[in-house]
């Protein structure tokens, strides 16, 4: 039996986590000196209500190896023998390293075990890693083996596209995700920076004036980049304003021929600490992956793997 695992920044909905029995290792958030476990001791809605009145930005820390080991130990009791753990980008958090430590500890303490554990550095944040986990859950239902799931994730993690825009730049400044200069210009001109992930770290790819132009950018880039064969669903994320996520979903349905599932899911407390209020994001697998500087041989290899995986999915 295969157990899927992740850290809490995957931001998948409670319904999805319960449906696929996904093991979640929560990050820790310190708010005014009190430590909370992400989505366990405090909900996203509770957090976003507190956020405007906080004088000091909350801090976050990765799950300890013991969080992952607890999930593994409990699942083994239920008969699981293979564990696929998909973590947020190692370029932005220590969650991946913590999961690898847990894996090492487990094998040190169980040298003769036949249990298999694989940890994926998703190179993603929030619903980016969540997309990989949800897709893995679907493929698992279709009969994918442990090795096939590993191959899929290691192949497609470089192609999960992120877009993120926020209302309030203060949290991104304070957490070091955006420079003061960029923030000052954005506030002065009422420009909204649109960010993505490049090689596991955040990067600004565009600046738009007003929500209307942000939505236009999202839809245009979605149409231009979408890998229709793999992206049978997309995820729209929001921090504190679900109406914007609904507006984006409506616009995609009205202006594109996309007929896959469109999930709307809220960003959790850990991600929200850095994103702040008004966050709007979108995640899907893109075809135009040359942006990350992959050489032609790597691109050819990924395309070959993609063709093989598509055939497996079809059959």
């Amino acid at each position: 039996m295969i157990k899927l695992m992740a850290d809490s920044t995957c931001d998948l909905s409670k319904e999805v986590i319960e449906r696929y029995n996904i093991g979640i290792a929560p990050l820790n958030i310190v708010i005014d000196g009190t430590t909370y476990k992400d989505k366990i001791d405090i909900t996203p809605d509770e957090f976003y209500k507190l956020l405007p009145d906080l004088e000091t930005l909350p801090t976050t820390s990765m799950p300890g190896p013991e969080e992952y080991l607890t999930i593994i130990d409990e699942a083994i009791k239920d008969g699981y023998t293979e564990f696929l753990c998909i973590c947020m980008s190692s370029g932005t958090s220590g969650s991946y390293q913590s999961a690898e430590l847990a894996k090492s500890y487990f094998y040190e303490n169980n040298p003769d075990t036949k249990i298999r554990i694989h940890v994926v550095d998703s190179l993603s944040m929030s619903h980016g890693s969540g997309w990989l986990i949800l897709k893995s859950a679907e493929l698992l239902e279709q009969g994918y083996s442990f090795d096939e799931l590993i191959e899929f994730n290691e192949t497609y993690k470089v192609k999960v596209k992120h877009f993120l825009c926020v209302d309030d730049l203060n949290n991104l400044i304070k957490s070091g995700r955006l420079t003061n200069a960029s923030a000052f210009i954005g506030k002065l001109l009422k420009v909204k920076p649109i960010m993505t992930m490049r090689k596991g770290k955040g990067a600004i790819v565009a600046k738009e004036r007003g929500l209307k132009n942000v939505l236009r950018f999202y839809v245009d880039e979605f149409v231009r980049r979408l890998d229709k064969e793999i992206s049978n669903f997309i995820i729209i994320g929001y921090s504190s304003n679900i109406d914007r996520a609904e507006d984006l979903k409506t616009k995609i349905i009205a202006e594109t021929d996309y007929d896959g599932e469109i999930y709307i899911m809220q960003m959790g407390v850990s991600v929200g600490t850095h994103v702040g209020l008004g966050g709007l994001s979108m995640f899907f697998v893109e075809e135009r992956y040359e942006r990350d500087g992959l050489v032609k041989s790597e691109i050819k290899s990924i395309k070959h793997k993609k063709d093989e995986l598509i055939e497996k999915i079809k059959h």
Side-chain angles (χ1 to χ4, degrees):
M1 290 174 61
I2 300 171
K3 177 76 170 181
L4 297 178
M5 299 168 53
D7 61 68
S8 62
T9 65
C10 69
D11 288 340
L12 291 173
S13 67
K14 181 180 179 181
E15 291 75 18
V16 168
I17 290 170
E18 291 179 350
R19 174 181 173 182
Y20 296 107
N21 193 26
I22 300 167
I24 300 294
L27 269 74
N28 302 300
I29 302 96
V30 179
I31 305 174
D32 288 342
T34 301
T35 300
Y36 302 85
K37 289 191 178 298
D38 190 6
K39 299 180 183 177
I40 296 176
D41 300 324
I42 184 170
T43 68
D45 284 334
E46 289 171 340
F47 173 73
Y48 292 120
K49 287 179 181 178
L50 289 174
L51 193 56
D53 298 322
L54 296 177
E55 295 183 3
T56 303
L57 185 67
T59 58
T60 61
S61 62
M62 64 188 180
E66 66 277 2
E67 297 282 1
Y68 295 103
L69 287 170
T70 297
I71 295 171
I72 293 170
D73 290 340
E74 290 299 319
I76 288 174
K77 295 176 184 177
D78 293 331
Y80 289 92
T81 57
E82 295 171 316
F83 296 83
L84 181 64
C85 182
I86 303 174
C87 297
M88 70 186 297
S89 173
S90 62
T92 58
S93 169
S95 292
Y96 169 76
Q97 288 82 356
S98 185
E100 284 285 6
L101 275 176
K103 175 182 173 180
S104 296
Y105 292 157
F106 180 83
Y107 286 132
E108 287 174 9
N109 294 324
N110 303 276
D112 299 322
T113 186
K114 294 183 179 180
I115 297 295
R116 299 180 66 193
I117 304 170
H118 183 83
V119 184
V120 177
D121 179 357
S122 70
L123 306 179
S124 294
M125 287 286 291
S126 190
H127 298 112
S129 60
W131 193 98
L132 288 170
I133 297 161
L134 181 51
K135 185 69 175 185
S136 295
E138 290 185 348
L139 295 177
L140 183 56
E141 282 192 332
Q142 294 174 26
Y144 262 49
S145 70
F146 188 61
D147 289 327
E148 287 172 332
L149 289 177
I150 292 172
E151 181 184 11
F152 181 89
N153 279 278
E154 297 296 350
T155 299
Y156 280 93
K157 68 183 186 180
V158 299
K159 293 186 62 184
V160 178
K161 187 61 185 175
H162 307 55
F163 285 120
L164 168 66
C165 185
V166 299
D167 259 355
D168 187 350
L169 300 173
N170 288 326
N171 287 56
L172 286 167
I173 304 165
K174 293 176 182 178
S175 64
R177 267 59 177 183
L178 191 64
T179 66
N180 284 310
S182 296
F184 176 76
I185 293 171
K187 287 186 174 183
L188 185 66
L189 301 177
K190 295 184 178 180
V191 169
K192 295 179 179 293
I194 298 174
M195 289 151 278
T196 191
M197 294 291 283
R198 283 181 174 164
K199 298 181 180 179
K201 295 185 178 181
I204 294 177
V205 292
K207 294 178 180 178
E208 299 289 346
R209 290 191 181 186
L211 180 62
K212 181 179 179 180
N213 289 331
V214 169
L215 296 182
R216 177 78 274 149
F217 176 90
Y218 275 30
V219 173
D220 288 347
E221 287 297 296
F222 174 72
V223 171
R224 188 168 75 92
R225 294 176 176 273
L226 179 69
D227 187 328
K228 294 182 179 180
E229 293 176 297
I230 298 297
S231 292
N232 62 304
F233 67 86
I234 65 175
I235 300 176
I236 296 173
Y238 71 98
S239 58
S240 56
N241 192 333
I242 193 173
D243 290 341
R244 293 181 178 180
E246 294 285 1
D247 288 344
L248 178 56
K249 179 178 180 178
T250 299
K251 196 171 183 67
I252 291 172
I253 293 172
E255 299 182 15
T256 77
D257 61 356
Y258 183 70
D259 60 357
E261 184 76 32
I262 302 177
Y263 293 99
I264 292 179
M265 300 184 190
Q266 190 172 27
M267 300 175 202
V269 180
S270 296
V271 173
T273 295
H274 304 292
V275 170
L277 303 175
L280 177 66
S281 58
M282 180 167 65
F283 303 84
F284 57 92
V285 164
E286 65 175 335
E287 185 66 44
R288 298 173 60 88
Y289 45 82
E290 296 89 344
R291 78 197 188 285
D292 283 334
L294 298 175
V295 298
K296 290 183 179 179
S297 61
E298 290 175 311
I299 294 172
K300 185 177 180 180
S301 175
I302 290 175
K303 187 177 186 304
H304 178 68
K305 287 182 179 180
K306 169 188 170 180
D307 292 340
E308 290 182 341
L309 287 164
I310 288 173
E311 286 303 312
K312 290 177 183 177
I313 292 172
K314 287 179 179 178
H315 297 94

